[in-house]
Amino acid sequence: MTTISTQPIAGQKPGTSGLRKKTPVFMGKHYLENFVQAIFDVVGAAGKTFVLGGDGRYFNDTAAQVILRMAAANGAARVIIGQGAILSTPAASHLIRLNKTDGGIIMSASHNPGGPNEDFGVKFNMSNGGPAPEGVTEAMYKRTTEIAQYHTLETADIDLSKIGRTAVRDMIVDVVDPVADYATLMESLFDFPAISAMFRGGFRMRMDSMCAVTGPYAVEILEKRLGAAAGTCVNATPLPDFGGMHPDPNPTWAKALMDEMFGANAPDFGAASDGDGDRNMVVGAGAYVSPSDSLAVLAANAHLAPGYKAGLKGIARSMPTSAAADRVAASLGIESYETPTGWKFFGNLLDAGRATICGEESFGTGSDHVREKDGLWAILLWLNILAARNQSVAAILAEHWAKFGRNYYSRHDFEAIASDKADAMMAALRGSLPGLPGKVLEGLTVQAADDFAYTDPVDGSVSKAQGVRILFADGSRIVLRLSGTGTEGATLRLYLERYAAGPDGLDLDPQAALAPVIRAAHALAQIESHTGRVAPDVIT
Ligand code: VG1
Ligand code: CO
């Protein structure tokens, strides 16, 4: 073992989903090593087994070798790693659980672009397969501020291109097929014969993996196991720079898919996933499904899939996600939960058997089959529902809204704002909250305004300052928070919601339906005077 002296590096604080920085920062002297040593110092490595993999972005392969050496030097017994150091985030979560390991390290900056000058990230998942909770990431951060040395080995790189067992000194390294176990899990949850019969009957799909990690998973499951036509999966080869794409599955960044789905001769179903495979966007022919609606539709129809035929135990959504899923929970007579942003907050509810399906407005849906959101899982559940109901996506949405009413919803992102300006805006807004109830803006009366705090119903831990929410008397809602996943300045996320109960209000364009709520939000937060921004950079 070689022990190397080092010094704390400022700012190695994990955000919403692990530590994310520009790739050159991660490649800087001791940067990756310091963070990895902080992880091992907190969770302990001696005698333990970990899963390791990443989304294949630039530096993924080099970082994997660094982490393997450090795991061995810190006394780990075994590392299970995807071939070529590739694992989607949900597949890594599954391998942690399947092999009952002590956790895993996932190398990804998720939906952020990859490449020598783009983003890289590292996150640690616990033995339940889920992201480390706040208490653990806080301890890791604290460790990075006091670190004085890290442990490594002087060994050659190990060959990760071949499946099989090898070793780094005394540590076993099992190089596994990144897709096989995950595909088997999907086959156990969904009605593959019904979905393949649908494809045989001429059902057409376009799956856009955005040159990111789900390509091999999508080809194996959709084309090979389910018999979708060859060419169904596009952008299916993971590339270190994601082919220059921004692998964030939303209408802005997955524009080619949107154009196809809204064009002449559109396929029946379209889907896209993000860098590390945990997000999904689904679209029908001429029918975009907002993530909040997707969560609600999946929850209302999950019983049609074999893995969920016994029904759901509960539904959890992040606070900024629309309340559409709550209406489904109420009609099913099951519990609904509202958690802070970030998948880590769903872990306890899933582990305790209180929630079966979870979702976020940011194109994330998942269930208790793993402890991460899972893009292909959501896509397959949609396919299972489409096969069972034999209806179009548009028809399923229309029926859903007719039954439950429609929660118009949109998120406006204002990116790369100077951090001090964004902080000042949020501070002023937080300061104004006590005076808001009773105020009337754009014909909307403020009913309540607070800064969301969450008490975990399972372990009682409290998370404060999770986002400002302003509720209006008619059920409309505004939420504002700053992103915890960006790597440049601050990103303001403005979440907007309005409920329409009757069939009258069901067919508006969301931006039009939300117009008064949008104006009220700008007036309340004084976005322009604080940041100089009038319009958002990305609308989802
Ligand atoms: C964003 C989303 C959040 C999601 C997180 C990680 O966080 O809003 O819902 O859980 O990304 O997603 P933030 O703090 O930037 O709003 V992913 O696909 O990175 O794992
Ligand atoms: Co992701």
Side-chain angles (χ1 to χ4, degrees):
M1 184 179 80
T2 311
T3 297
I4 298 189
S5 297
T6 185
Q7 282 172 359
I9 298 172
Q12 288 191 294
K13 194 173 174 64
T16 313
S17 192
L19 181 66
R20 269 180 215 182
K21 295 285 170 196
K22 288 285 167 207
T23 311
V25 175
F26 257 105
M27 294 173 77
K29 195 174 179 204
H30 299 331
Y31 194 94
L32 172 66
E33 290 83 350
N34 276 21
F35 189 64
V36 171
Q37 188 63 50
I39 292 174
F40 288 141
D41 286 348
V42 168
V43 303
K48 294 197 168 169
T49 297
F50 298 108
V51 166
L52 176 62
D55 62 14
R57 70 180 62 220
Y58 186 81
F59 191 52
N60 188 85
D61 44 2
T62 312
Q65 299 288 347
V66 169
I67 296 169
L68 282 172
R69 284 191 196 98
M70 288 184 65
N74 279 277
R78 180 179 169 223
V79 169
I80 300 167
I81 183 166
Q83 186 180 19
I86 296 281
L87 284 177
S88 76
T89 286
S93 180
H94 178 50
L95 285 181
I96 293 170
R97 297 165 63 76
L98 183 69
N99 296 288
K100 300 195 165 51
T101 69
D102 299 291
I105 294 177
I106 302 174
M107 302 168 289
S108 172
S110 188
H111 53 285
N112 298 14
N117 293 308
E118 300 293 350
D119 292 355
F120 194 78
V122 171
K123 54 185 174 178
F124 184 79
N125 282 30
M126 311 292 283
S127 60
N128 73 344
E134 273 189 334
V136 175
T137 55
E138 279 298 327
M140 288 169 182
Y141 172 59
K142 185 164 173 281
R143 190 69 197 140
T144 66
T145 65
E146 56 198 29
I147 193 164
Q149 55 183 35
Y150 67 85
H151 309 302
T152 186
L153 296 173
E154 278 155 45
T155 54
D157 280 0
I158 78 157
D159 182 2
L160 299 174
S161 70
K162 285 187 213 66
I163 289 171
R165 179 162 283 193
T166 118
V168 176
R169 298 270 168 86
D170 297 338
M171 184 182 82
I172 295 168
V173 178
D174 283 318
V175 182
V176 300
D177 179 335
V179 177
D181 288 324
Y182 177 82
T184 303
L185 174 66
M186 293 301 113
E187 205 156 353
S188 75
L189 296 173
F190 301 116
D191 189 346
F192 272 38
I195 301 172
S196 33
M198 183 169 74
F199 279 122
R200 275 198 309 279
F203 181 92
R204 290 187 303 130
M205 174 178 180
R206 178 184 170 109
M207 168 72 210
D208 191 338
S209 290
M210 305 187 84
C211 301
V213 79
T214 61
Y217 296 84
V219 170
E220 169 67 24
I221 295 171
L222 296 172
E223 295 188 9
K224 297 213 177 116
R225 298 201 186 190
L226 289 168
T232 294
C233 302
V234 299
N235 296 319
T237 303
L239 300 173
D241 65 349
F242 304 129
M245 293 177 92
H246 186 160
D248 192 354
N250 64 41
T252 302
W253 296 116
K255 185 165 180 306
L257 176 66
M258 290 298 283
D259 288 348
E260 174 112 2
M261 297 308 297
F262 281 81
N265 195 27
D268 301 288
F269 187 57
S273 53
D274 74 331
D276 63 331
D278 56 1
R279 295 184 177 206
N280 74 94
M281 178 176 82
V282 293
V283 208
Y288 167 68
V289 186
S290 86
S292 293
D293 281 341
S294 181
L295 171 65
V297 170
L298 292 180
N301 294 280
H303 61 278
L304 298 172
Y308 305 92
K309 64 173 186 289
L312 309 179
K313 292 167 183 151
I315 305 171
R317 63 164 173 88
S318 68
M319 183 274 283
T321 304
S322 96
D326 301 8
R327 298 178 187 281
V328 174
S331 104
L332 292 172
I334 57 176
E335 225 29 74
S336 57
Y337 299 91
E338 186 178 38
T339 61
T341 292
W343 209 262
K344 55 178 171 263
F345 293 102
F346 294 133
N348 279 346
L349 295 170
L350 293 166
D351 285 348
R354 292 171 74 158
T356 307
I357 283 192
C358 308
E360 294 192 277
E361 51 62 44
S362 53
F363 299 84
T365 21
S367 87
D368 58 2
H369 68 292
V370 290
R371 291 294 179 274
E372 287 277 6
K373 56 189 183 277
D374 187 344
L376 274 169
W377 170 90
I379 292 161
L380 288 164
L381 180 49
W382 263 101
L383 284 170
N384 195 138
I385 292 166
L386 290 167
R389 288 184 52 164
N390 195 23
Q391 284 175 298
S392 68
V393 171
I396 289 174
L397 274 181
E399 277 187 24
H400 188 92
W401 292 332
K403 179 172 178 190
F404 295 99
R406 179 167 178 184
N407 290 74
Y408 283 99
Y409 187 83
S410 184
R411 184 175 103 183
H412 291 191
D413 291 335
F414 301 79
E415 294 177 344
I417 301 174
S419 293
D420 54 340
K421 290 185 179 167
D423 290 341
M425 192 204 79
M426 290 303 291
L429 180 63
R430 288 189 158 103
S432 75
L433 295 179
L436 289 186
K439 255 195 159 176
V440 182
L441 289 121
E442 300 292 330
L444 300 163
T445 308
V446 178
Q447 193 172 54
D450 69 356
D451 192 356
F452 183 57
Y454 178 68
T455 304
D456 187 299
V458 179
D459 67 16
S461 59
V462 177
S463 304
K464 291 190 176 146
Q466 296 295 320
V468 166
R469 39 178 200 178
I470 297 150
L471 292 166
F472 297 96
D474 72 344
S476 298
R477 190 173 72 136
I478 294 169
V479 173
L480 293 106
R481 56 180 284 281
L482 299 182
S483 159
T485 57
T487 55
E488 244 175 335
T491 294
L492 167 67
R493 302 207 194 283
L494 168 61
Y495 309 84
L496 306 141
E497 180 172 1
R498 186 191 144 197
Y499 179 65
D504 301 351
L506 291 183
D507 225 9
L508 288 170
D509 166 67
Q511 302 307 318
L514 291 164
V517 188
I518 296 169
R519 288 195 298 268
H522 280 265
L524 280 169
Q526 295 287 302
I527 296 173
E528 188 180 355
S529 65
H530 280 286
T531 68
R533 302 296 177 87
V534 190
D537 300 287
V538 179
I539 295 180
T540 51

